[in-house]
C-alpha cells in the first residue's frame, strides 16, 4: 500500500509556501536569548571532514568538555557527531553530559553491502556511540524498492539494539533522507513515513555532502509527516535538519517550523536536533553581542 494513502497525507505546496513565507516574515518573534540557548542545547556538534584525525577530534571534545568554564550560563550541545572510527575517542575523552553520535552504515552514500553497513553500526555502538545516523538506501528507494529500503533500516535497528542491550543501555537511530536528492514533497513524505515505520527515532534531512541539503520546504513536509504519524500511532519521532545550517537565523528558521507544526513538546533535544559544524559560534555571537570563535 502506498504510504501517502495509508496516512492520508498529500503535501499541499500552496499552503506550505504561504506558511513558510509567514514564518520567515515573523522570525524576530522567536529571537531571544532563551530560544538561542535552546537551539544550542539541541545541536549535534559535528566534524565530518576527510582530514579529521584523532588530534583534531580530541581538540573538539576538549572544547566541549571545557565549554561551561567559559560560558557557565549556557547549556552543552546535545552530542558530538563524528565518523564511526572516532566514536571510542569521544566516548573515552568525554567528561560532561553529552552524547556520542556516529554516522554509520557507509555514510554518506549508503552504497555498500548490507553486511558491511551492519558491521559498521555494530562496531560504532560497541565502541561507545549513543546515537547512530544512517542514510536511507537511496539505491533501493529511488528504484521503487521501498520494502528493501525499509528492511535495511529494520536490520540496522535490530543490530544496534542488540549491541546496546548487551551493554545495558539504549541507542537512538536517526535516518537521513537526503531530501536534496529526493527533491519532490511526495518523495520526501514517502521516505519520512517509510523511515518512521521501519524504526527511526529521528528523521534527518541531509548529510551535508550533496548540492542541496536542508531546506525549509523539506523541513516543513517532514514535520507534517511526523505530526501525522504521531496522531495515527501515538509514537513521537524526532526531527533533525542538517547541512548548510550556518547562521543563528538559520537555526531560528527551523525552530519556528518545528514550533508551528509540532509544538512545544518537540522543542527539546529528545525530539529536535540540529546537525551543525558552524552555527554554534553564530548563536554564541548573537547572544553575547560580539564575535565569538570558540568552536
Amino acid at each position: 500500500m502506498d504510504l501517502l494513502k495509508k496516512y492520508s497525507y498529500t503535501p499541499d505546496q500552496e499552503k506550505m509556501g504561504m506558511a513558510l513565507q509567514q514564518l520567515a516574515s515573523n522570525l524576530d518573534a522567536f529571537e531571544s536569548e532563551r530560544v538561542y540557548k535552546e537551539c544550542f542545547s539541541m545541536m549535534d556538534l559535528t566534524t565530518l571532514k576527510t582530514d579529521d584525525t584523532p588530534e583534531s577530534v580530541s581538540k573538539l571534545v576538549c572544547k566541549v568538555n571545557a565549554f561551561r568554564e567559559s560560558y557557565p550560563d549556557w547549556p552543552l550541545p546535545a552530542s558530538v557527531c563524528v565518523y564511526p572510527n572516532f566514536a571510542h575517542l569521544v566516548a573515552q575523552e568525554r567528561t560532561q553530559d553529552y552524547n556520542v553520535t556516529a554516522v554509520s552504515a557507509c555514510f554518506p552514500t549508503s552504497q555498500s553491502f548490507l553486511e558491511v553497513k551492519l558491521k559498521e553500526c555494530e562496531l560504532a555502538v560497541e565502541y561507545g556511540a549513543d546515537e547512530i545516523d544512517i542514510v536511507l538506501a537511496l539505491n533501493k528507494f529511488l528504484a521503487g524498492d521501498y520494502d528493501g529500503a525499509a528492511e535495511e533500516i529494520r536490520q540496522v535497528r535490530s543490530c544496534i539494539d542488540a549491541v546496546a542491550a548487551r551493554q545495558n543501555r539504549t541507542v537512538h537511530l536517526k535516518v537521513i533522507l537526503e531530501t536534496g536528492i529526493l527533491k519532490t514533497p511526495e518523495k520526501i513524505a514517502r521516505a519520512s513515513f517509510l523511515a518512521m515505520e521501519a524504526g527511526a527515532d529521528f528523521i534527518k534531512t541531509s548529510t551535508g555532502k550533496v548540492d542541496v541539503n536542508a531546506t525549509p520546504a523539506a523541513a516543513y513536509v517532514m514535520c507534517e509527516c511526523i505530526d501525522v504519524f504521531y496522531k495515527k500511532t501515538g509514537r513521537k519521532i524526532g526531527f533533525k535538519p542538517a547541512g548548510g545550517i550556518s547562521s543563528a537565523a538559520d537555526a531560528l528558521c527551523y525552530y519556528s517550523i518545528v514550533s508551528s507544526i509540532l509544538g512545544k513538546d518537540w522543542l527539546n533535544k529528545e525530539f529536535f536536533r540540529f546537525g551543525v559544524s558552524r552555527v554554534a559560534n553564530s548563536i554564541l555571537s548573537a547572544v553575547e553581542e560580539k564575535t565569538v570563535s570558540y568552536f
Side-chain angles (χ1 to χ4, degrees):
M1 180 179 182
D2 184 82
L3 288 170
L4 301 189
K5 291 181 180 179
K6 178 177 179 178
Y7 288 94
S8 302
Y9 176 76
T10 302
D12 186 333
Q13 294 195 59
E14 183 178 355
K15 173 191 168 187
M16 177 175 66
M18 292 176 61
L20 289 173
Q21 186 175 21
Q22 185 174 11
L23 287 171
S25 64
N26 289 291
L27 270 190
D28 55 353
F30 293 93
E31 189 173 10
S32 69
E33 179 176 334
R34 176 187 63 82
V35 170
Y36 279 134
K37 287 184 176 180
E38 284 183 10
C39 290
F40 195 91
S41 75
M42 296 183 285
M43 294 188 311
D44 288 344
L45 194 63
T46 301
T47 181
L48 297 172
K49 300 192 289 285
T50 302
D51 60 352
D52 282 340
T53 63
E55 182 181 4
S56 67
V57 172
S58 181
K59 184 177 179 181
L60 177 62
V61 173
C62 287
K63 285 184 176 182
V64 179
N65 288 342
F67 178 72
R68 298 292 294 279
E69 295 174 15
S70 299
Y71 297 94
D73 296 328
W74 281 74
L76 289 167
S79 82
V80 171
C81 179
V82 294
Y83 283 114
N85 49 305
F86 293 117
H88 71 287
L89 187 155
V90 181
Q92 288 172 0
E93 296 192 359
R94 167 180 53 184
T95 63
Q96 302 293 325
D97 185 19
Y98 56 87
N99 282 353
V100 180
T101 298
V103 295
S104 302
C106 301
F107 175 97
T109 65
S110 192
Q111 295 281 18
S112 190
F113 303 102
L114 178 57
E115 293 85 352
V116 174
K117 299 179 189 181
L118 294 175
K119 190 63 179 180
E120 188 174 64
C121 291
E122 176 187 336
L123 289 171
V125 176
E126 191 174 299
Y127 283 94
D130 304 297
E131 305 179 11
I132 297 293
D133 287 19
I134 67 169
V135 181
L136 173 70
L138 292 172
N139 53 358
K140 291 184 169 66
F141 183 88
L142 293 175
D145 182 8
Y146 303 129
D147 289 341
E151 180 60 21
E152 287 207 9
I153 297 172
R154 285 192 289 266
Q155 290 208 36
V156 168
R157 172 88 268 174
S158 178
C159 170
I160 65 174
D161 284 349
V163 180
R166 293 199 296 268
Q167 299 175 336
N168 294 313
R169 61 193 186 97
T170 58
V171 174
H172 284 91
L173 176 63
K174 307 191 198 86
V175 177
I176 304 164
L177 307 184
E178 204 67 289
T179 54
I181 289 177
L182 296 179
K183 297 180 181 178
T184 70
E186 289 77 16
K187 286 181 180 177
I188 292 169
R190 190 170 287 111
S192 296
F193 289 125
L194 183 152
M196 290 188 286
E197 279 198 346
D201 295 304
F202 274 75
I203 52 175
K204 175 179 171 182
T205 59
S206 321
T207 61
K209 305 295 186 181
V210 295
D211 292 338
V212 177
N213 291 288
T215 65
Y220 194 95
V221 172
M222 291 169 69
C223 286
E224 283 201 326
C225 291
I226 289 170
D227 184 51
V228 169
F229 187 79
Y230 172 64
K231 288 173 179 174
K232 188 173 182 68
T233 68
R235 183 170 169 235
K236 287 184 178 179
I237 303 299
F239 170 65
K240 180 178 174 179
I245 302 172
S246 60
S247 69
D250 290 337
L252 288 183
C253 172
Y254 292 105
Y255 183 98
S256 71
I257 292 170
V258 172
S259 177
S260 66
I261 298 174
L262 297 171
K264 64 181 181 180
D265 286 351
W266 264 263
L267 297 176
N268 56 72
K269 66 182 180 181
E270 186 177 358
F271 296 112
F272 185 21
R273 297 288 181 86
F274 295 94
V276 302
S277 58
R278 293 174 290 170
V279 79
N281 286 332
S282 181
I283 292 175
L284 282 166
S285 298
V287 174
E288 299 294 325
E289 298 183 341
K290 61 182 181 182
T291 300
V292 177
S293 300
Y294 182 87
F295 293 105

